[in-house]
């Protein structure tokens, strides 16, 4: 039988319903392959300890999710940087000899691009040819507003892709509930590691997800969340366009990126925003090496709509001279 199991009954089914997202193309994926995790970071630590060997190299997007870098390094994995552009990870720039590649193809973090279909095919081809394990971080896959998402990388290549998802963006990070869909040998190694170490993800967060899915609240919440965040993004985009402020990224997710010309400009924008009571995120901290791109990432999910509207004039005053 399958090696994969989860602690909380109904969690696999709830996650599987989320993963469908109206997609017809699911390849070799099936509900039984869903494995509960404590979230993306803990799942990466488990993969590093259970599947990878100390010193194995994993390519990570640069700029990218630094908690992924820290998680892999904490497991003894050597992280190498792989550049991104508007279409996501530059597959040809991944150095030879890596054991794995970590990427966020649906909505690159933090730059906001979507990996093109052609690049996904190229990534899978290299993974199969060179023995890579591709880790697909689908951290906000539910939050897409313009077009239907491309099929999951895991649906395209279930033999070489580990798919990671989380409830942290659609519900709350405090739940500590995520999931992994992996090739059976990989999942078996993760489960064996849990057995050896006596560790497993907390069932409490899973129970919340199961209950929300059971009574239909999860679906209603996601529809409301998508509608609200889409309107907030449109509000920001329209105001910035009118002010001539450029933005990066697809129509998705919970943040928008304004490119800036230099590290100095980024520091000045963040400092001025702080002085006006606004907390912006700089792209500098999302680099493992020397920052190559500069900008301000503006999140619009944690505040209220009224707070966002009230902050817009200050945001535009701060960003207009810096970004144009």
């Amino acid at each position: 039988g399958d090696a994969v199991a989860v602690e909380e009954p109904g969690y696999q089914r709830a996650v599987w319903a989320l993963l469908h997202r109206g997609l017809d193309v699911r390849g070799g994926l099936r509900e039984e392959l869903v494995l509960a995790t404590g979230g993306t970071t803990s799942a990466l630590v488990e993969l590093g300890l259970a599947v990878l060997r100390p010193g194995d190299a994993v390519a990570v997007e640069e700029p990218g999710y630094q908690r992924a870098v820290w998680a892999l390094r904490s497991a003894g994995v050597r992280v190498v940087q792989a550049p991104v552009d508007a279409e996501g990870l530059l597959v040809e720039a991944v150095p030879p000899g890596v054991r794995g590649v970590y990427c966020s193809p649906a909505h690159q973090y933090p730059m906001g691009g979507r990996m093109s279909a052609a690049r996904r095919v190229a990534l899978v081809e290299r993974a199969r040819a060179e023995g890579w394990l591709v880790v697909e971080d689908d951290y906000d896959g539910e939050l897409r507003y313009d077009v239907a998402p491309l099929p999951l990388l895991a649906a395209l290549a279930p033999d070489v892709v580990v798919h990671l998802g989380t409830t942290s963006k659609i519900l709350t990070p405090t739940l500590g509930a995520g999931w992994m869909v992996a090739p059976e040998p990989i999942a078996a190694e993760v489960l064996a590691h849990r057995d050896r170490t006596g560790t497993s993800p907390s069932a409490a967060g899973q129970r919340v997800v199961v209950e929300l899915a059971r009574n239909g609240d999860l679906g209603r919440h996601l529809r409301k969340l998508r509608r609200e965040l889409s309107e907030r993004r449109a509000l920001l985009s329209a105001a910035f366009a009118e002010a001539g402020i450029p933005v990066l990224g697809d129509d998705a997710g919970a943040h928008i990126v304004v490119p800036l010309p230099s590290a100095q400009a980024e520091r000045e924008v963040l400092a001025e925003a702080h002085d006006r009571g606004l907390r912006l995120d700089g792209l500098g901290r999302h680099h493992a090496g020397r920052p190559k791109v500069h900008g301000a990432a503006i999140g619009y999910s944690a505040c209220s709509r009224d707070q966002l509207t009230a902050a817009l004039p200050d945001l535009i005053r701060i960003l207009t001279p810096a970004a144009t």
Side-chain angles (χ1 to χ4, degrees):
D2 291 315
V4 184
V6 288
E7 291 72 18
E8 190 59 28
Y11 189 67
Q12 276 181 320
R13 189 170 304 113
V15 170
W16 187 244
L18 276 176
L19 288 176
H20 272 213
R21 289 210 297 269
L23 298 180
D24 294 325
V25 185
R26 291 190 297 276
L29 302 185
R30 59 187 193 278
E31 186 178 318
E32 302 77 47
L33 293 175
V34 174
L35 180 62
T37 72
T40 300
T41 306
S42 63
L44 284 167
V45 172
E46 287 188 314
L47 287 169
L49 293 172
V51 179
L52 301 170
R53 295 193 177 95
D56 276 355
V58 171
V60 175
E61 295 167 326
E62 177 80 349
Y65 186 44
Q66 294 309 295
R67 283 188 178 174
V69 172
W70 301 327
L72 290 165
R73 284 178 175 164
S74 75
V77 172
R78 184 165 56 89
V79 171
V80 297
Q81 297 148 29
V84 300
D85 66 7
E87 294 184 16
L89 179 76
L90 285 160
V91 177
E92 68 273 14
V94 176
V98 301
R99 173 69 182 87
V101 174
Y102 166 90
C103 57
S104 46
H107 190 222
Q108 202 277 328
Y109 186 83
M111 301 302 292
R114 178 172 65 156
M115 189 183 290
S116 65
R119 203 168 287 183
R120 291 168 189 240
V121 171
L123 176 59
V124 166
E125 286 177 351
R126 269 200 81 181
R128 286 175 173 154
E130 299 180 38
W132 297 349
L133 187 65
V134 176
V135 180
E136 172 185 35
D137 184 353
D138 196 32
Y139 68 98
D140 69 351
E142 298 300 324
L143 305 179
R144 176 134 220 123
Y145 316 125
D146 54 351
V147 294
L150 288 168
L152 304 177
L153 263 188
L156 186 63
D159 52 319
V160 293
V161 175
V162 175
H163 175 89
L164 300 181
T166 179
T167 57
S168 68
K169 296 291 185 189
I170 59 172
L171 292 170
T172 169
T174 59
L175 273 186
W179 54 87
M180 175 189 301
V181 185
E184 286 190 63
I186 301 296
E189 288 184 60
V190 170
L191 287 169
H193 170 77
R194 290 180 183 178
D195 191 47
R196 287 192 301 270
T197 57
T199 57
S200 62
S202 166
Q206 296 172 46
R207 290 190 192 116
V208 173
V209 175
V210 169
E211 183 59 22
L212 288 172
R214 185 190 64 77
N215 62 25
D217 284 345
L218 184 57
R220 283 188 287 273
H221 167 72
L222 284 172
R223 287 190 291 275
K224 181 180 177 183
L225 184 66
R226 272 193 290 264
R227 185 169 61 250
E228 176 64 24
L229 292 187
S230 175
E231 290 172 3
R232 292 185 186 194
R233 186 181 185 88
L235 177 71
L236 271 178
S237 297
F240 287 172
E242 190 175 339
I245 299 170
V247 297
L248 302 175
D250 274 23
D251 193 6
H255 76 282
I256 202 164
V257 175
V258 174
L260 296 168
S262 66
Q264 179 66 19
E266 182 181 307
R267 282 192 295 272
E268 289 172 358
V269 162
L270 266 58
E272 188 177 349
H274 181 269
D275 290 345
R276 292 175 183 260
L278 303 175
R279 184 179 174 188
L280 304 186
D281 188 12
L283 293 181
R285 76 176 186 93
H286 298 285
H287 289 74
R290 182 185 177 88
K292 296 181 178 65
V293 293
H294 314 287
I298 302 156
Y300 46 82
S301 65
C303 58
S304 70
R305 177 91 70 109
D306 287 346
Q307 287 172 324
L308 183 65
T309 304
L312 263 177
D314 276 344
L315 273 175
I316 289 168
R317 269 194 294 274
I318 295 164
L319 291 168
T320 299
T324 54

